[in-house]
């Protein structure tokens, strides 16, 4: 058995790359030790089998964003803890390689009211966080609202334009029936509690509110509590 040595130093001697490139390969998830991906260049190895995966790129590890289906009843400060390797959806077809470093320094953006469910964004990418904080109010959002009760006369017309919230007139939005108990809203901006209040003003009781889309990015068929990566070519 050889003496323990740092993984990045061992990789450098094996493939003849620079120490910096070796560290970037490892941090990018391109290196396996006895078949297991190891992301820490300082990991000590001896005579294990070290393999650099095909098509490896010695580039700085990119930050990532995740799309999470928030369950109803969860507070905003509980949501980042839901994003773990085990809760990644099997429907994730982005091709992004899961790395442990993706779960560091996550921030919640585009939150929902505690009682609502649906799409929220969890990100470690400062560009995405800044964009959604600065421009989120200008992005059209799509909601599915389950209701009960009897719609007041001209209720659909009033929902689309003519209501106010907290004494401020609301801009026009698009609203339609998906079925006998569900309304679909395409609306911007949206304040916490706004959709529930709008429905009450036209005689409807809200059973649930679920966000389906933010801008051009849709949640798809994610189940509550699961997430997928935001694909590199997706833009809000």
């Amino acid at each position: 058995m050889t003496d323990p040595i740092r993984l990045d130093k061992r990789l450098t001697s094996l493939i003849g790359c620079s120490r910096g490139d070796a560290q970037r390969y490892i941090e990018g998830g391109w290196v396996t030790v006895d078949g297991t991906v190891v992301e820490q260049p300082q990991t000590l190895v001896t005579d294990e089998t070290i393999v650099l995966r095909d098509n490896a790129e010695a580039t700085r590890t990119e930050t990532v964003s995740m799309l999470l289906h928030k369950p109803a009843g969860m507070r905003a400060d509980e949501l980042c803890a839901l994003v773990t390797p085990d809760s990644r959806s099997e429907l994730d077809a982005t091709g992004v390689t899961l790395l442990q470093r993706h779960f560091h320094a996550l921030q919640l953006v585009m939150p929902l009211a505690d009682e609502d469910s649906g799409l929220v964004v969890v990100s470690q990418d400062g560009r995405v966080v800044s964009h959604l904080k600065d421009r989120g109010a200008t992005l059209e959002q799509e909601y599915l609202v389950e209701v009960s009760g009897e719609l007041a006369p001209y209720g659909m017309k009033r929902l689309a334009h003519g209501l106010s919230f907290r004494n401020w007139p609301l801009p026009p939005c698009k609203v339609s029936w998906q079925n006998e108990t569900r309304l679909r809203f395409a609306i911007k901006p949206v304040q916490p509690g706004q959709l529930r209040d709008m429905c009450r003003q036209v005689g409807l009781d809200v059973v649930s509110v679920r966000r389906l889309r933010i801008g051009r990015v849709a949640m798809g068929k994610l189940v509550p509590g699961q997430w997928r990566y935001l694909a590199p070519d997706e833009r809000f």
Side-chain angles (χ1 to χ4, degrees):
M1 181 179 293
T2 58
D3 293 333
I5 186 174
R6 283 176 57 113
L7 177 57
D8 56 352
K9 190 173 182 181
R10 172 61 59 80
L11 186 63
T12 296
S13 65
L14 284 175
I15 67 174
C17 67
S18 70
R19 187 79 170 269
D21 280 351
Q23 292 173 353
R24 286 185 282 272
Y25 282 134
I26 296 165
E27 291 173 348
W30 297 105
V31 177
T32 63
V33 178
D34 281 349
T36 300
V37 174
V38 175
E39 302 172 39
Q40 294 77 33
Q42 69 273 19
T43 299
L44 295 178
V45 295
T46 52
D47 52 3
E48 295 91 342
T49 300
I50 313 299
V51 176
L52 179 66
R53 293 165 53 198
D54 293 339
N55 302 318
E57 298 179 1
T59 55
R60 186 176 298 277
T61 305
E62 292 291 332
T63 52
V64 296
S65 300
M66 291 86 156
L67 307 178
L68 171 68
H69 186 160
K70 173 195 178 296
M74 292 199 70
R75 302 191 312 270
D77 59 5
E78 299 175 308
L79 295 180
C80 287
L82 282 183
V83 181
T84 69
D86 291 338
S87 59
R88 184 184 186 181
S89 173
E90 295 181 355
L91 301 176
D92 191 335
T94 58
V96 178
T97 300
L98 187 149
L99 301 175
Q100 290 297 325
R101 66 184 61 253
H102 290 166
F103 304 96
H104 301 163
L106 293 174
Q107 298 184 61
L108 174 69
V109 279
M110 301 297 291
L112 288 166
D114 293 352
E115 63 269 28
D116 297 343
S117 67
L119 177 61
V120 295
V121 182
V122 177
S123 181
Q124 58 179 201
D125 187 334
R127 296 165 298 180
V128 170
V129 172
S130 295
H131 176 73
L132 291 178
K133 286 184 176 180
D134 295 342
R135 299 287 305 280
T138 69
L139 298 175
E140 183 179 80
Q141 300 177 44
E142 187 175 351
Y143 288 82
L144 197 62
V145 181
E146 186 171 356
V147 296
S148 63
E150 184 174 348
L151 183 67
Y154 307 104
M156 291 295 285
K157 183 176 180 180
R158 293 179 62 207
L159 284 172
H161 191 205
L163 298 179
S164 61
F165 180 62
R166 295 176 180 170
N167 298 319
W168 287 94
L170 294 172
C173 68
K174 302 170 187 175
V175 58
S176 60
W177 286 106
Q178 186 190 53
N179 57 35
E180 293 181 352
T181 61
R182 290 180 177 178
L183 289 166
R184 187 179 292 265
F185 285 83
I187 186 170
K188 61 179 179 180
V190 188
Q191 302 176 59
Q194 177 183 323
L195 292 176
R196 293 175 181 271
D197 186 74
M198 290 172 66
C199 290
R200 291 188 195 104
Q201 291 185 55
V202 295
L204 298 174
D205 295 319
V206 173
V207 178
S208 65
V209 175
R210 177 157 47 104
R211 181 161 60 193
L212 306 177
R213 174 174 59 84
I214 299 171
R216 293 172 290 181
V217 176
M219 180 173 67
K221 295 182 179 180
L222 289 175
V223 302
Q226 293 193 346
W227 61 273
R228 70 168 177 87
Y229 285 107
L230 179 71
D233 60 349
E234 286 184 295
R235 299 290 183 273
F236 290 98

